[in-house]
């Protein structure tokens, strides 16, 4: 009697496990930093503290003249960076963020490369996350460029050493630089909220110029509303209202109230418009 062989179960081939790679993210960052307009924007931001330092060196301001920190530059060069951040926040930094975030999705759609990106395969969620992460990195780069060039030119033209804070206390130069680094991080976080708005607008249109202009227009409009006295009830909820609160980092002890409020508002805007961008982009028809 012959033995009956048990049937051999052949398992279906499984798809190879795809490890999480940062190649797409690195490629996106390289594309952003290679673009000439983004390089020019960073050069303009780097020039801002240089021009401020030269102007102060030629004609020192009196107490109360000009923006915050300006009169303290002659006592310590590190305040060039703080002054430069104050100067570039209303227009130049929002413009930089508007250009990069507005181009994130609409630039791919306008050039016809968006549908090819999603064939690679790259999920829409991952594509959107990489685009926004790249915008956040550029926001941080822009803020750090202003801070770094401010410190460098400040050390060249003005005294260094211990710095007198807004509260009257004195900290070492290293302590002042650390507070400057925290201020740059705070400013980058505030700009990241605007970047989320730009990302959402970028999913609505296929023209990058229209997305850039719309994002910049939103930033300008919100700042105008923030300066209308009759709208004081809604101003604490505007994303631009807390942009200059990094000045509280120059107090001893650090006044964290407004800084925390600013971060919470920035996070809320980033979450809201990030969700709107995801909802729009994941249902968007890009077959044409």
């Amino acid at each position: 009697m012959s033995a009956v062989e048990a049937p051999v179960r052949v398992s279906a081939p499984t798809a190879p496990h795809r490890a999480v790679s940062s190649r797409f993210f690195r490629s996106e960052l390289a594309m952003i930093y290679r673009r000439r307009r983004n390089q020019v924007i960073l050069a303009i931001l780097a020039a801002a503290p240089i021009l401020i330092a030269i102007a102060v060196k030629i004609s020192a301001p009196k107490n109360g003249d000009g923006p915050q920190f300006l009169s303290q530059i002659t006592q310590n060069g590190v305040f060039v960076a703080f002054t430069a951040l104050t100067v570039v926040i209303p227009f130049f930094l929002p413009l930089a963020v508007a250009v990069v975030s507005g181009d994130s999705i609409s630039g791919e759609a306008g050039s016809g490369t968006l549908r090819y990106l999603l064939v690679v395969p790259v999920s829409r969620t991952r594509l959107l996350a990489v685009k926004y992460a790249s915008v956040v990195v550029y926001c941080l780069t822009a803020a750090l460029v202003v801070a770094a060039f401010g410190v460098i030119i400040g050390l060249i033209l003005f005294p260094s050493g211990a710095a007198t804070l807004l509260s009257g206390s004195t900290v070492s130069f290293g302590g002042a630089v650390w507070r400057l680094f925290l201020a740059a991080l705070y400013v980058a976080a505030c700009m990241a909220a605007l970047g989320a708005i730009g990302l959402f607008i970028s999913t609505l249109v296929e023209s990058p110029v229209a997305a850039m202009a719309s994002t910049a227009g939103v930033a300008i409009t919100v700042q105008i509303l923030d300066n209308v006295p009759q709208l004081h009830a809604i101003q604490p909820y505007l994303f631009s209202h807390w942009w200059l609160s990094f000045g509280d980092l120059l107090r001893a002890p650090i006044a964290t109230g407004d800084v925390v409020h600013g971060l919470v508002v920035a996070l809320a805007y980033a979450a809201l418009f990030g969700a709107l961008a995801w909802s729009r982009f994941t249902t968007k028809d890009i077959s044409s």
Side-chain angles (χ1 to χ4, degrees):
M1 182 177 179
S2 60
V4 180
E5 297 181 355
V8 178
R9 185 183 298 273
V10 179
S11 59
T14 58
H17 176 69
R18 185 182 297 273
V20 177
S21 173
S22 62
R23 180 180 180 182
F24 184 27
F25 178 57
R26 289 184 281 112
S27 175
E28 181 68 20
L29 284 179
M31 182 178 66
I32 288 177
Y33 288 109
R34 279 200 304 263
R35 284 180 174 162
R36 187 61 56 86
R37 64 168 178 260
N38 297 338
Q39 296 173 357
V40 170
I41 290 174
L42 290 178
I44 293 174
L45 291 174
I50 297 175
L51 295 176
I52 291 172
I54 293 175
V56 173
K57 187 68 174 180
I58 294 175
S59 178
K62 299 178 181 179
N63 290 332
D65 291 342
Q68 191 179 26
F69 311 118
L70 188 61
S71 60
Q72 295 174 275
I73 290 178
T74 55
Q75 280 74 43
N76 196 301
V78 74
F79 285 101
V80 173
F82 287 105
T83 303
L85 284 175
T86 303
V87 170
V88 301
I89 276 181
F91 179 74
F92 291 107
L93 274 179
L95 179 62
V97 176
V99 168
V100 176
S101 62
D103 185 60
S104 55
I105 300 296
S106 60
E108 303 283 3
S111 62
T113 59
L114 183 57
R115 58 181 176 272
Y116 297 110
L117 275 177
L118 297 175
V119 174
V120 179
V122 176
S123 69
R124 297 192 182 197
T125 299
R126 183 187 175 196
L127 175 61
L128 197 68
V130 167
K131 291 288 186 179
Y132 183 62
S134 302
V135 171
V136 172
V137 171
Y138 191 83
C139 292
L140 180 60
T141 301
L144 289 177
V145 163
V146 176
F149 276 85
V151 171
I152 292 171
I153 192 64
L155 291 177
I156 293 174
L157 297 181
F158 301 102
S160 58
T164 302
L165 304 179
L166 298 180
S167 58
S169 304
T170 301
V171 296
S172 65
F173 181 78
V177 172
W178 170 246
R179 290 168 186 257
L180 174 62
F181 177 69
L182 294 179
L185 292 181
Y186 175 79
V187 170
C190 293
M191 292 299 112
L194 178 61
I197 297 175
L199 184 71
F200 170 61
I201 295 175
S202 186
T203 64
L204 301 178
V205 298
E206 294 188 357
S207 170
V209 175
M212 296 175 195
S214 298
T215 306
V218 168
I220 294 173
T221 301
V222 170
Q223 290 184 78
I224 292 174
L225 296 177
D226 196 25
N227 286 278
V228 177
Q230 290 77 7
L231 300 177
H232 63 89
I234 67 169
Q235 288 169 354
Y237 303 101
L238 301 177
F239 60 81
S240 66
H241 185 74
W242 308 98
W243 280 358
L244 296 178
S245 296
F246 68 86
D248 288 346
L249 297 173
L250 283 178
R251 303 184 187 277
I254 294 177
T256 58
D258 287 352
V259 173
V260 171
H261 282 138
L263 292 176
V264 170
V265 170
L267 180 60
Y269 273 89
L272 173 61
F273 284 93
L276 291 174
W278 177 83
S279 177
R280 167 63 180 170
F281 186 60
T282 53
T283 58
K284 184 178 181 180
D285 180 17
I286 60 171
S287 59
S288 59

